[in-house]
Amino acid sequence: MSEHDPGEQRRRQQQTEFAESVTGTIEATPNRRAEYVELDTMGSPRSSDGSANKRRLSLEQTLDDAATAVEDTASNQHVKIEYDAGGFSLKKLLRFVGPGILVSQALLDPGNIESDISQADTSGYKLLWLLLLAHILCIFVQSLAARLGVVTGRHLAQHIRQQYPRPLATVFWLLTELAIIGADIQEVIGTATALHILTGIPIWAGVVITAVDSFLFLYVQRLGVRVTELVFGLMVTTLAVCFWVEMVLIKPDAREVIKGMVIPRIPQGSAVQAVGIVGCVLMPHNLFLHSALVGSRKLDRREETREGAIREAMRYFRIETAVSLVYAYLINMAVVVVFCKAFELMRAEGIAYVASLAEGANVLSHVLGNGSKYVYAVGLLAIGQSTTMTGTLSGQYVTEGFWNMPVKPWQRVLITRSISLVPALIVALTAAAHIDLLSEIINVLQAIVLSFTIIPLLKLQDHAEVMGPEFAFGRVARMSAAFLTLAIVTLNAYMVASVIPLDSPSMYVALCAVVIVYVLVLSYTAAFPLRCVWSRRMVVDRAPPAIRWLFGRAALAVDVGAPT
């Protein structure tokens, strides 16, 4: 085929763009060339005969799949970062601030506030240390998600779609979507509860209003990434101010608060509550979101500056993530402390109370006066509205990454709201007591999905062909990642098993069957060889021939040649 043929030129251009999106090191200039090398199942070059055309089409499709990795180039949707080899700069750190703030909101959504209220009722101050430990663990895991996005230029959903066979990737997608919709239900009901406290409208009406007014927040995205981050930051700060003011007014026992933060102890009968704290802080869709949000910072990825720019970005993102999640911990701690003191005062007066999201306003109203419930509602409303939008962003990135299907924000809002509206309305119309049961079911679902998210994330970090030899895990990091994965899977399995009623032999049999399937699928996820090995110079399928035959996978490679 002639080099001047339009089809051939288009194919070569697509290959070059694909290599650039994967490696981030190839400049789109005439002195760079991308060559297509087609391999058979044994890794030998295949001739370009008629039978190879199907594989050529597969490459074309793969190249098209990379389109989701190419970010919108609109100036207000990205922050350009110039690399310099100097030391730490506060001014430069501020340019990286934003993704961590959006991610921190998932730790403060109405579901987590309800968990804080429940913790205050059952354990008092005694689990504040575990809440702090969970946030520290979250800092580590979220930093890994950001690291994946910074180094590879692609987010977690895109990696899973490319690395795992479609049946397994589809299972990942379904589970993640269920987790996102479950969190969305909690956020919608929490926001409706805040509207009920502020205006007196029924919960079901608040659910409908919340489902509709989310479209208004889409306008914020059109104003640019920095404006969006600022607005969401103000939402989090509103929640912080509301609960910090109430914490000052209620005058908690500072000594008990400090003891709860530094002395590890688990009260009798609080084991499930303790595991639930970890599950509520580590949110699976947050990993997808964080790995994508870091793409809003456009780094200097030229060959001579690539490694330095990436290391600089990882350092600043680690700092930004740590500060944002410590901020979230201080807010969660304030919620626990306020309600610990409030429940203590209620018990001292012999007054019955209900530890729930909806009844929290009445508890604070009795202890601090009628105005406190409105302060509580304002904070709940702010965080409920903002978390619905971050949930929408998570779903957008997940759908685009898994299916290479660009989804507009309003379409994503319409889909998630349509699905979550029905169960939210059912709960709102039946009884408030069912909200606690629904939250428990959703937390179990989040725990299950987290295991299927953390394993691919850590597995990708361990491969030099994906991360590059300079960024792949070392021995210590690899061992730490294995221990972390085992700990998270064990804790989540315990939480799931603890909420299943084992009141008959058949339930035991069912639980054993579920555990066996769960372990087998997780083992398969951890052991499956990565589908495509990405390096700075080649994209190639190195799975064993039997695996390629089993899943009908072509062995493809795109070799980025040296400058001509």
Side-chain angles (χ1 to χ4, degrees):
M1 184 178 294
S2 172
E3 292 186 358
H4 300 289
D5 182 78
E8 178 69 11
Q9 292 178 353
R10 175 178 175 272
R11 183 177 66 79
R12 289 183 176 274
Q13 180 181 2
Q14 286 179 321
Q15 292 166 3
T16 303
E17 292 174 354
F18 178 43
E20 290 172 1
S21 68
V22 173
T23 65
T25 62
I26 307 303
E27 288 290 314
T29 57
N31 66 338
R32 293 284 183 180
R33 61 185 176 85
E35 293 187 359
Y36 168 69
V37 181
E38 189 166 356
L39 310 179
D40 60 20
T41 56
M42 299 306 294
S44 302
R46 179 187 295 273
S47 60
S48 299
D49 55 9
S51 62
N53 289 336
K54 293 183 179 180
R55 297 188 184 278
R56 184 181 294 266
L57 292 175
S58 297
L59 177 63
E60 298 282 354
Q61 182 179 1
T62 304
L63 295 173
D64 292 337
D65 290 346
T68 56
V70 180
E71 301 288 347
D72 180 13
T73 56
S75 59
N76 68 344
Q77 296 300 323
H78 293 93
V79 179
K80 187 175 181 180
I81 306 294
E82 297 291 343
Y83 171 68
D84 60 73
F88 175 81
S89 168
L90 180 60
K91 182 178 180 180
K92 175 163 279 191
L93 174 62
L94 295 177
R95 295 183 65 80
F96 285 92
V97 171
I101 294 176
L102 271 67
V103 167
S104 69
Q105 294 181 76
L107 283 67
L108 301 167
D109 68 1
N112 277 276
I113 293 178
E114 184 164 21
S115 175
D116 293 338
I117 295 173
S118 176
Q119 176 187 340
D121 179 45
T122 59
S123 307
Y125 305 101
K126 297 178 181 179
L127 290 180
L128 285 176
W129 69 272
L130 185 59
L131 186 64
L132 175 60
L133 183 62
H135 280 74
I136 294 174
L137 180 62
C138 188
I139 291 172
F140 175 70
V141 175
Q142 291 295 155
S143 296
L144 290 180
R147 184 174 184 267
L148 178 68
V150 170
V151 173
T152 67
R154 299 170 71 90
H155 57 77
L156 181 57
Q158 292 172 326
H159 277 290
I160 292 178
R161 180 179 184 275
Q162 292 290 341
Q163 304 291 4
Y164 287 94
R166 177 162 294 184
L168 188 58
T170 302
V171 172
F172 287 157
W173 173 74
L174 288 173
L175 290 174
T176 306
E177 288 291 349
L178 288 175
I180 293 174
I181 292 170
D184 192 62
I185 293 172
Q186 290 179 311
E187 292 154 5
V188 168
I189 292 179
T191 308
T193 301
L195 291 173
H196 171 71
I197 297 170
L198 291 171
T199 65
I201 63 174
I203 296 293
W204 67 266
V207 169
V208 175
I209 292 173
T210 303
V212 173
D213 70 5
S214 296
F215 288 95
L216 299 178
F217 280 81
L218 298 179
Y219 179 75
V220 176
Q221 290 182 276
R222 299 175 62 88
L223 301 179
V225 63
R226 297 301 276 173
V227 175
T228 301
E229 292 167 351
L230 176 62
V231 170
F232 287 137
L234 291 175
M235 294 288 192
V236 176
T237 302
T238 299
L239 177 68
V241 170
C242 289
F243 275 101
W244 288 348
V245 167
E246 292 191 329
M247 183 170 63
V248 171
L249 294 176
I250 207 168
K251 299 178 181 178
D253 188 339
R255 182 180 177 183
E256 288 297 320
V257 173
I258 296 174
K259 283 176 58 179
M261 292 175 61
V262 300
I263 301 178
R265 46 185 173 164
I266 298 179
Q268 186 176 3
S270 299
V272 176
Q273 177 74 36
V275 176
I277 291 174
V278 179
C280 289
V281 171
L282 291 173
M283 310 287 283
H285 59 275
N286 242 12
L287 302 179
F288 291 97
L289 178 63
H290 206 173
S291 66
L293 289 176
V294 295
S296 62
R297 271 55 180 178
K298 308 306 291 183
L299 308 180
D300 185 357
R301 293 181 181 269
R302 291 175 298 172
E303 185 69 27
E304 61 271 19
T305 60
R306 175 182 177 274
E307 182 176 350
I310 289 177
R311 290 194 182 280
E312 179 186 64
M314 289 193 300
R315 180 172 69 252
Y316 282 115
F317 274 128
R318 279 196 299 268
I319 296 173
E320 190 255 354
T321 300
V323 172
S324 299
L325 297 188
V326 168
Y327 188 34
Y329 168 74
L330 294 176
I331 300 173
N332 277 317
M333 183 198 69
V335 177
V336 175
V337 168
V338 166
F339 280 98
C340 277
K341 186 63 176 180
F343 293 151
E344 180 183 321
L345 295 174
M346 295 284 283
R347 287 191 292 266
E349 297 179 16
I351 300 175
Y353 62 87
V354 177
S356 68
L357 192 68
E359 293 299 321
N362 294 330
V363 172
L364 294 178
S365 179
H366 177 81
V367 174
L368 295 176
N370 194 52
S372 63
K373 72 177 183 180
Y374 296 109
V375 176
Y376 169 81
V378 168
L380 186 60
L381 178 63
I383 201 62
Q385 286 284 17
S386 60
T387 51
T388 55
M389 280 310 304
T390 53
T392 299
L393 285 175
S394 300
Q396 180 181 343
Y397 287 123
V398 166
T399 302
E400 290 180 351
F402 276 107
W403 296 106
N404 188 35
M405 182 191 307
V407 179
K408 295 180 180 179
W410 71 266
Q411 294 173 329
R412 180 68 202 182
V413 172
L414 182 62
I415 294 171
T416 55
R417 289 297 172 273
S418 299
I419 296 175
S420 63
L421 186 62
V422 175
L425 281 174
I426 292 174
V427 174
L429 291 172
T430 52
H434 290 77
I435 296 178
D436 296 335
L437 176 61
L438 179 64
S439 296
E440 188 174 78
I441 295 173
I442 291 173
N443 289 337
V444 169
L445 177 63
Q446 298 275 7
I448 294 174
V449 177
L450 179 62
S451 300
F452 289 99
T453 307
I454 197 72
I455 290 178
L457 175 63
L458 298 179
K459 186 177 176 68
L460 289 164
Q461 306 273 345
D462 190 40
H463 281 263
E465 294 88 347
V466 174
M467 301 293 292
E470 62 271 48
F471 297 112
F473 275 166
R475 180 178 301 177
V476 175
R478 187 179 301 114
M479 294 176 62
S480 300
F483 175 77
L484 175 64
T485 302
L486 183 62
I488 290 176
V489 170
T490 302
L491 286 174
N492 289 334
Y494 175 80
M495 187 176 76
V496 173
S498 64
V499 299
I500 297 178
L502 300 177
D503 51 4
S504 66
S506 59
M507 292 301 299
Y508 277 101
V509 173
L511 177 61
C512 290
V514 170
V515 169
I516 291 174
V517 172
Y518 180 70
V519 171
L520 288 176
V521 175
L522 286 181
S523 301
Y524 179 81
T525 303
F528 189 86
L530 294 186
R531 182 176 184 179
C532 297
V533 178
W534 295 344
S535 69
R536 295 176 60 183
R537 295 185 57 79
M538 181 161 290
V539 183
V540 61
D541 187 340
R542 291 186 185 171
I547 296 295
R548 291 205 297 267
W549 177 83
L550 180 62
F551 291 98
R553 284 159 37 184
L556 298 175
V558 176
D559 184 19
V560 181
T564 58

